[in-house]
Amino acid sequence: MKKSTISTLAIVGALGLGLGGLAVADHNRGERHAERLAMLDTNENGQIERAEVEAKRAAEFATADTNGDGGVSFEEMEAYREAKRAERRAKRFARQDADGDGVLGVDEFQSRRLARFDRMDADGDGVISDEERAAAREARGGRHGHGRRDG
């Protein structure tokens, strides 16, 4: 069987075992992806054109070139990257802060990790078996955590 077929079967099987939360997570991830694509589609024609990508990258370059000398030094690039990381962390925090009060209560703090646990616990017995862990890894395409950490 091809790897993509195995991945598809694993996802379908996981959903069939009651991992509806996985579908919600995929839906949310898909919404964020659609939002990012919409940001690139500046002329709103439903397509991402090279000129749109070039314009976006030129704007990012201008932001990174803090001294305006037409070049981005290592220090400027590091500062730009850290600012982007901080922006992503702030957005992630805001998504986790369900009541929007700027403070994570214990339920909000635990929510992402516990939701992940619940998605992996396919049979709902409160324990993640080796088989459930392997199925979750397969559903992610064999990658560990998509290169991100849960909050």
Side-chain angles (χ1 to χ4, degrees):
M1 247 187 232
K2 288 182 164 181
K3 185 173 183 166
S4 62
T5 303
I6 293 171
S7 296
T8 302
L9 290 174
I11 291 169
V12 170
L15 289 173
L17 290 172
L19 287 180
L22 182 59
V24 170
D26 286 343
H27 176 72
N28 291 341
R29 192 174 306 122
E31 283 181 1
R32 288 192 301 269
H33 181 69
E35 289 170 8
R36 285 190 297 266
L37 291 177
M39 284 177 33
L40 286 172
D41 184 16
T42 55
N43 65 8
E44 298 179 357
N45 69 353
Q47 299 175 336
I48 308 302
E49 299 170 14
R50 183 179 179 88
E52 292 170 317
V53 174
E54 288 173 352
K56 172 85 167 132
R57 295 298 290 166
E60 290 173 351
F61 181 87
T63 300
D65 183 16
T66 55
N67 65 7
D69 69 353
V72 176
S73 69
F74 176 79
E75 291 79 13
E76 288 172 315
M77 182 57 83
E78 286 299 301
Y80 174 76
R81 287 180 175 157
E82 181 52 38
K84 295 303 269 182
R85 279 191 290 271
E87 185 180 309
R88 286 189 303 271
R89 288 189 302 261
K91 286 179 182 178
R92 192 167 39 243
F93 182 90
R95 281 194 307 267
Q96 200 168 350
D97 182 16
D99 59 12
D101 68 353
V103 176
L104 297 182
V106 67
D107 291 342
E108 292 167 319
F109 185 82
Q110 293 178 348
S111 65
R112 289 181 59 154
R113 293 275 171 102
L114 293 177
R116 183 174 179 207
F117 182 94
D118 291 342
R119 284 192 308 269
M120 291 176 68
D121 182 17
D123 60 11
D125 67 354
V127 176
I128 298 173
S129 67
D130 288 341
E131 293 80 15
E132 289 168 325
R133 205 164 35 104
R137 188 178 312 115
E138 182 65 28
R140 288 191 313 267
R143 297 179 308 253
H144 178 69
H146 299 288
R148 298 179 297 192
R149 292 185 179 268
D150 285 338

